Amino acid sequence: MKKTLILVLALVLVLGTAAFALDKGEIEVGAKVAPYASVKAQKTKWHQTGWFFIIPIGEWQEDEPNMNFQYYSGVANQRKFTDTNCFIVETNAPVDLVFTGTALQHEVYDDSKMLTTYWVFQSWGVDDLPRFMLPPEQILPKWEIGYFADLNHALLYETPWYSDHETEFVEVPEDALLALLGLFKSGRFYPTAGAVAAAQETSIDREGIYAYQVFGFAGTGGISDQRAGHYTAEITLTVNPQ
């Protein structure tokens, strides 16, 4: 009788253990990541290290971002074009982008400004620098976003392709010459009345890394329209969550 009782107790214990193992507990674990984007201004520069027959050998490197129109003689209607700067945007969510820019302004006198217009394109992508030989995708325009400027001081041309005053291309090395192939897709080059806005807007619809290249036009008006001296301006990219 005693032996039978032990067997029964053992069976009850086994059954109880099995029932306990099947009764699992669960704890929910969660987290929330806020929408976030970073913006970096970047300039690429070609550094030639040698020649292979008639082919230049070198690499593309990152340089200090700037847009330098260099020296103006002070004559009326002197116009210049330059580029090679871009914005690199990395985002984890859809965002809206707004491009704005100020006119070149005298460093001392606020009332003296030059005619200034900017032109922004989305680039093909973003490559790491330095990059051997092949131009990085961030300096190759994919499609036009548009012209923007301080509308009270925008540099405008009479037609998309012609002006009575020749425009000088400055600091336009190999990267910009390649980029011009993309610019021609827009069907025009010079900014005209009605084509320039106070701001240009575009959107990013998913997470990733994107590049936007900015070109610049700047010129003098009449001889007395702007004082002699040093002029500066700012290009701003504002990123807003959707």
Side-chain angles (χ1 to χ4, degrees), residues 42-46 60-62 84 129 136 138-139 175:
Q42 184 185 78
K43 184 172 185 176
T44 61
K45 190 172 184 178
W46 167 256
W60 299 90
Q61 298 180 4
E62 188 169 353
T84 74
L129 298 176
Q138 53 262 47
I139 65 170
D175 60 335

Side-chain angles (χ1 to χ4, degrees), residues 70 79-82 167-172 177 180 183 189-190 217:
Q70 300 182 354
R79 299 178 175 184
K80 296 186 179 186
F81 170 84
T82 190
T167 296
E168 177 187 354
F169 283 51
V170 296
E171 287 200 344
V172 183
L177 294 177
L180 292 179
L183 296 179
F189 187 85
Y190 297 112
F217 299 85

Side-chain angles (χ1 to χ4, degrees), residues 93-138:
V95 292
D96 295 324
L97 309 180
V98 182
F99 296 88
T100 56
T102 63
L104 284 160
Q105 180 175 298
H106 195 281
E107 62 181 353
V108 177
Y109 300 99
D110 294 345
D111 61 344
S112 188
K113 297 182 180 181
M114 294 179 63
L115 302 175
T116 314
T117 298
Y118 306 102
W119 199 12
V120 60
F121 278 71
Q122 180 168 348
S123 302
W124 279 96
V126 179
D127 286 318
D128 293 332
L129 298 176
R131 181 171 170 83
F132 179 71
M133 293 296 290
L134 295 176
E137 289 190 341
Q138 53 262 47

Side-chain angles (χ1 to χ4, degrees), residues 99 118-122 143-146 148 200 212-214:
F99 296 88
Y118 306 102
W119 199 12
V120 60
F121 278 71
Q122 180 168 348
W143 60 65
E144 179 192 23
I145 296 174
F148 60 96
Q200 287 292 342
Y212 301 87
Q213 190 173 14
V214 181

